[in-house]
Amino acid sequence: MPISHDDPGHTSGIALKRLPLRKAAVLFIVVVCLSLCGLLYLQLEQSRRHDLAVAEVASSNLTRAMAQQAEDTFMKADLVLTSLADWIQVDGFAHVQIPRLQKTFARRVQALSQLHGIFLFDQKGQWVVTSFEDLPRGPGVADRDYFLFHQQNVSSLAHIGPAVRSRVNGEWIIPVSKRVNDKDGHFQGVLLAGIKMSYFDQFFKSFSIDDDGSMFLALTDGTLLARRPFVESQIGQSLAKGAIFSKYLTGAMSGNAMIGSVLDGTVRLHGYRQLDAYPVVVSAASSRDSILKGWYDTALKSSVIVALVVLGVGLFGWVFVRQVRLGERVEKDLRKAKEALKLIATHDSLTGLANRRLFEQALAIEFGRGARQSSSLSLIMLDIDYFKRYNDAYGHVAGDHCLAEVARAVKSCCHRTADLAVRYGGEEFAVLLPDTDVHGALVIAEQIRRSVMAKNISHSGAPSGFVTVSLGCYAFVPTRLDSTEVFIGRADAALYQAKHSGRNRSAVLSMDGGVGELMRSDR
């Protein structure tokens, strides 16, 4: 800056000559600085818009390729299921048909690399035939979302459900299923094709995106099916609150948007597209920092050059660095918050009983103890009779109250500290009884059944007019070769027999697999 001289030794004429020169110098410096800053701004802004425009085109092309591949994948599975469903509807799936169906399923899976397997379940969710040689054991799939969907909907269209772990080998799959009807159009079961999660993972890896970029496949309700980078805990999470689902998809089935991720907070340029034939959304995204990385380099170099002429550009650099540091601090806080999440609780919030997680832990411990001490271990499986009718008649609030009352009845019959009452799922409960033989389990089961009846909970949809339960009992001395799944399955088989025989009764599964039952009519 020019320095003012108040020197009385100078004449007024000299002062008048120097004053305009100083002002001209200041004006020149200001004009030069403003011009350089203006030119720098125009050049950088134009470059930034160009980089973003190129990135939007690339993102749109990538999303279009993803959508085409995803639609082809689901369509191939859909076509396979359609042909098999038509065949099964005509010929049925009687026992004589099963070998032929198994071979056909296996050939179709071999022909399509994306398929994990093809499965057929009957109207009760039990395994009928699969593309695997050995038929899986277990309680079936009556609790799966896709089975419940087809059981309750007459649509013959393919249904794509949330990703699940296969009960055959634990692999993550995306279920594509179709309803199977008999010749009269009545529900006979579900045909399922499981698409490997790893197939989409490999497909995503075939595209080149930056380290902070992402790609995902989700249902139109926001349920995440597959994502790159793959984080197992994120599968099944809802993206419905994200801007893509809550804002952009409502206006257009495809497009681009610069938004922050609801999963990790990173700001990315998302290209998104909803499939034409299926309720699925695909998205490919590059991080904003990666898109503008080259632009950042140019801006820095240009700023350094301009900084040689005007020190004011240093302020811009300082603000920029300060903003970056602020962003890093926010990201660090988000990581800490994520690491601070706690494990899920071990008890059901509605009934106060133990949940499945605690049940599985206790069952493993009691299996080991029973094997060491050669002591009998019993399991009672029970559920509320006609509970769906109860919900339909009285509403879900009353249904929750009913569950809580039944839970109290169950818990009141567990007198020992080691006895464990569990809400197994929905309206189904379980009671684990260490050091108890089958006769003792049957006594406890009858106590529970009578305790529930004693509550006199009105149920207009039940033949008795009030809420009752059906119970299945199984007991044995575990060894190290026994399976907890088989143990649960046998108790569940006894429960099924109790319900099949008329409900409101207790049934026992003997060691040889036969079922004995006690009929009860004290209503």
Side-chain angles (χ1 to χ4, degrees), residues 5-15 18:
H5 297 277
D6 296 325
D7 187 352
H10 291 275
T11 63
S12 59
I14 297 176
R18 290 186 176 180

Side-chain angles (χ1 to χ4, degrees), residues 362-376:
L363 187 58
I365 293 172
E366 294 301 338
F367 250 65
R369 190 174 68 86
R372 291 192 302 271
Q373 300 178 2
S374 298
S375 60
S376 180

Side-chain angles (χ1 to χ4, degrees), residues 299-501:
L300 181 59
K301 293 176 182 178
S302 300
S303 298
V304 169
I305 295 174
V306 174
L308 297 176
V309 182
V310 54
L311 296 178
V313 176
L315 180 61
F316 172 83
W318 177 79
V319 171
F320 179 78
V321 172
R322 186 172 179 273
Q323 292 299 319
V324 172
R325 289 178 179 175
L326 179 60
E328 291 175 348
R329 190 177 300 114
V330 171
E331 185 177 353
K332 184 178 180 181
D333 292 340
L334 290 174
R335 285 198 300 267
K336 288 182 179 179
K338 184 177 180 180
E339 293 171 358
L341 293 176
K342 303 298 182 181
L343 295 176
I344 60 173
T346 57
H347 286 77
D348 178 58
S349 60
L350 174 64
T351 64
L353 301 184
N355 61 14
R356 295 266 306 255
R357 183 183 181 191
L358 183 57
F359 172 67
E360 291 170 357
Q361 294 173 352
L363 187 58
I365 293 172
E366 294 301 338
F367 250 65
R369 190 174 68 86
R372 291 192 302 271
Q373 300 178 2
S374 298
S375 60
S376 180
L377 181 64
S378 296
L379 178 63
I380 302 173
M381 298 291 290
L382 65 140
D383 72 2
I384 303 172
D385 297 327
Y386 305 107
F387 187 68
K388 184 178 184 301
R389 297 182 185 176
Y390 189 92
N391 270 338
D392 292 341
Y394 301 100
H396 290 284
V397 174
D400 289 346
H401 178 72
C402 176
L403 287 172
E405 287 297 317
V406 172
R408 278 192 280 271
V410 173
K411 192 171 184 180
S412 68
C413 297
C414 297
H415 306 295
R416 301 179 304 173
T417 304
D419 296 344
L420 182 65
V422 181
R423 185 183 181 189
Y424 197 73
E427 70 273 20
E428 190 171 6
F429 299 85
V431 180
L432 184 64
L433 301 169
D435 296 321
T436 305
D437 60 15
V438 71
H439 300 292
L442 184 58
V443 169
I444 298 298
E446 282 298 295
Q447 289 179 1
I448 293 172
R449 189 179 68 82
R450 292 192 181 98
S451 179
V452 172
M453 292 174 62
K455 289 184 175 292
N456 291 320
I457 304 172
S458 297
H459 186 356
S460 61
S464 62
F466 51 85
V467 171
T468 60
V469 294
S470 299
L471 306 96
C473 308
Y474 180 71
F476 81 138
V477 177
T479 67
R480 298 187 182 278
L481 300 179
D482 288 313
S483 166
T484 58
E485 289 79 5
V486 174
F487 181 56
I488 296 172
R490 289 177 177 174
D492 200 50
L495 170 60
Y496 173 78
Q497 182 63 30
K499 296 183 75 67
H500 184 71
S501 300

Side-chain angles (χ1 to χ4, degrees), residues 29-49:
I29 293 173
V30 170
V31 170
V32 169
C33 289
L34 290 177
S35 298
L36 288 175
C37 291
L39 291 173
L40 176 64
Y41 171 79
L42 292 175
Q43 186 269 330
L44 292 179
E45 181 63 17
Q46 183 179 8
S47 176
R48 187 181 73 87
R49 291 182 179 180

Side-chain angles (χ1 to χ4, degrees), residues 216-287:
F216 72 75
L217 189 75
L219 298 177
T220 51
D221 65 0
T223 302
L224 185 63
L225 297 178
R227 184 176 186 265
R228 174 187 176 186
F230 177 79
V231 179
E232 184 173 351
S233 61
Q234 294 176 351
I235 300 303
Q237 289 190 15
S238 176
L239 307 178
K241 294 183 179 179
I244 289 179
F245 292 88
S246 63
K247 179 180 178 181
Y248 294 103
L249 279 174
T250 58
M253 294 182 63
S254 63
N256 293 283
M258 184 75 76
I259 54 177
S261 170
V262 297
L263 296 177
D264 56 19
T266 303
V267 178
R268 298 182 176 93
L269 175 63
H270 284 262
Y272 59 91
R273 180 176 291 272
Q274 181 176 332
L275 304 190
D276 294 327
Y278 301 98
V280 174
V281 175
V282 298
S283 175
S286 297
S287 67

